[in-house]
Amino acid sequence: MSGGGIAGSSKQKIEPSKPADAPSFKRKRGVFQKDLQHMMYGYGDDQNPLPESVALVEDIVVEYVTDLVHKAQDVASKRGKLLTEDFLFLIRKDLPKLNRATELLAMNEELKQARKAFDMDEEKLATVD
Amino acid sequence: MKQSQDPFEAAFVEQEESPPESPAAANDNETQNVDTPVNDANQPEDELGLDATVDNNVASTSATPSASARIAQTNNKNKEDDEDEEEDNMEVELGKLPSSGDPDKMAVMQTILSRFTEEQMSRYESFRRSGFQKSNMKRLLVSITGSQKISIPMTIVVSGIAKMFVGELVETAKLVMAERKDSGPIRPCHIRESYRRMKLEGKVPKRSVPRLFR
């Protein structure tokens, strides 16, 4: 059994005959546990979701993201590099997700512009002083 | 305006009185291409949520006050509402809630929010603020792709998509629970059933290669 620490929030998945020199593909459990608890409550679950449910949802989400990324890589393989647009292409049929993703990207751009402007103003203030 | 227990019903009544404007403008902004970043009326609804992912901190609002003040000056849209929100706690959300730049939508949201019970408000707060940690998501993406080049926007998009997926999962699980007349916290059997149904509806990407020997 490799390092089964119970006190910490992460437990090593038991990987039989996995050599130590292999790149770390071991998936720790409970990586998203805290986030998922809040998320599940927000979406309608109990204030304290069952740990088994959280673990199951985490597994499902990781599998979902994995499949999504693999599909995106397939789409991007022709071009070569994996881009954000590949993900948007994959969810194009799912309108709520697509709108949400474009909204998030737009917000990110806004924040970047605002921060850049803030930095420039700070510089101006510094030089004036 | 009649006093109604259900905040959504109350908002619906108010909406009937003042029909919303043409949503064409809002829709155009929403469906706009990513290549040209939207810089005007596409008001983000979940500024708190994005900031949580950007700043890696789910529990607290983390923009510095000086940054907010500055940003408010340099940005002459409703964006200042967003920045103000970040400093304050949940109470502010009642006051200024940005949403796709549509004033009617904002007004409706405000009506709804003002009538929330405490429990509803706490749940809504969790819904808005929760999100996947950017660092964890990035680590996961790196381990899946095997490459180190994961851009920040990509992490943001994947986190957003994953959060909505969790939402669908949990909501379907609640539906399953209601059908089985169960109560209490959601159990794994509900989630499994919910996942099965979503697979049938095609909401879960199918594996081209089945995963053996997990």
Side-chain angles (χ1 to χ4, degrees):
Chain A
M1 180 102 100
S2 55
I6 301 180
S9 62
S10 60
K11 296 184 218 154
Q12 290 288 343
K13 204 172 170 194
I14 300 175
E15 293 282 357
S17 64
K18 192 104 182 162
D21 53 330
S24 54
F25 289 141
K26 286 187 221 172
R27 194 157 59 80
K28 296 198 188 113
R29 294 265 161 149
V31 178
F32 294 124
Q33 192 192 18
K34 290 216 176 63
D35 305 323
L36 273 181
Q37 281 176 339
H38 293 302
M39 217 183 281
M40 286 173 72
Y41 172 56
Y43 275 117
D45 196 1
D46 203 58
Q47 180 121 36
N48 299 315
L50 294 175
E52 307 90 74
S53 308
V54 175
L56 179 59
V57 172
E58 174 173 354
D59 283 345
I60 294 180
V61 165
V62 168
E63 185 176 328
Y64 175 76
V65 170
T66 309
D67 291 343
L68 198 67
V69 169
H70 283 154
K71 283 198 155 181
Q73 281 181 315
D74 289 341
V75 168
S77 62
K78 302 179 203 120
R79 207 185 311 115
K81 224 163 74 160
L82 182 63
L83 295 176
T84 319
E85 280 71 28
D86 300 320
F87 289 101
L88 296 178
F89 174 74
L90 281 180
I91 58 172
R92 68 195 186 283
K93 297 283 179 59
D94 191 340
L95 277 174
K97 292 208 179 77
L98 182 64
N99 291 335
R100 176 65 180 161
T102 44
E103 180 184 12
L104 285 172
L105 286 170
M107 251 180 7
N108 191 35
E109 273 303 311
E110 272 190 59
L111 280 174
K112 270 203 312 202
Q113 299 301 326
R115 287 207 195 99
K116 210 196 298 183
F118 165 58
D119 286 335
M120 289 203 313
D121 286 343
E122 276 257 310
E123 280 180 31
K124 276 195 221 147
L125 276 184
T127 51
V128 165
D129 295 341
Chain B
M1 182 172 59
K2 64 175 197 261
Q3 275 299 340
S4 129
Q5 285 285 47
D6 188 358
F8 294 101
E9 206 179 303
F12 181 65
V13 168
E14 286 205 9
Q15 189 174 32
E16 279 182 341
E17 294 166 351
S18 57
E21 294 170 345
S22 158
N27 280 345
D28 279 348
N29 285 333
E30 279 181 9
T31 55
Q32 198 164 1
N33 204 335
V34 194
D35 296 337
T36 60
V38 180
N39 271 333
D40 43 67
N42 192 3
Q43 276 304 321
E45 209 170 344
D46 197 359
E47 171 64 34
L48 281 180
L50 174 67
D51 215 62
T53 51
V54 167
D55 293 332
N56 238 352
N57 195 345
V58 177
S60 70
T61 54
S62 47
T64 60
S66 58
S68 318
R70 269 322 195 146
I71 293 171
Q73 287 173 20
T74 55
N75 229 336
N76 53 351
K77 320 162 208 160
N78 307 6
K79 199 171 167 13
E80 50 211 340
D81 298 344
D82 304 342
E83 305 311 316
D84 283 341
E85 273 187 1
E86 294 166 13
E87 316 168 38
D88 303 336
N89 55 20
M90 262 305 292
E91 303 307 312
V92 180
E93 273 205 53
L94 289 174
K96 309 171 187 183
L97 203 64
S99 88
S100 35
D102 188 353
D104 286 312
K105 220 175 176 183
M106 283 168 59
V108 170
M109 269 314 276
Q110 286 197 31
T111 347
I112 297 179
L113 283 178
S114 62
R115 287 164 202 272
F116 267 0
T117 65
E118 250 193 62
E119 197 236 336
Q120 287 173 323
M121 189 49 109
S122 136
R123 200 180 281 274
Y124 182 67
E125 178 182 8
S126 279
F127 161 67
R128 288 286 295 253
R129 287 174 170 218
S130 64
F132 292 107
Q133 286 249 322
K134 239 177 28 160
S135 53
N136 289 334
M137 185 54 82
K138 182 151 186 244
R139 201 178 314 143
L140 175 65
L141 287 177
V142 163
S143 78
I144 298 175
T145 59
S147 100
Q148 294 291 330
K149 289 203 214 125
I150 301 289
S151 61
I152 304 277
M154 201 178 298
T155 327
I156 295 176
V157 165
V158 174
S159 301
I161 296 176
K163 178 173 174 183
M164 291 188 69
F165 177 71
V166 169
E168 289 176 352
L169 202 57
V170 170
E171 285 174 6
T172 319
K174 281 302 268 190
L175 195 68
V176 167
M177 256 177 70
E179 289 174 7
R180 298 187 188 175
K181 312 243 189 333
D182 282 339
S183 63
I186 299 182
R187 301 204 296 273
C189 59
H190 303 132
I191 299 181
R192 272 190 276 267
E193 170 65 16
S194 147
Y195 183 60
R196 189 190 69 91
R197 289 192 195 182
M198 282 176 65
K199 265 206 281 202
L200 289 177
E201 291 176 21
K203 298 197 176 159
V204 177
K206 286 205 253 280
R207 306 186 135 267
S208 44
V209 178
R211 176 187 266 180
L212 312 166
F213 320 121
R214 205 189 282 221

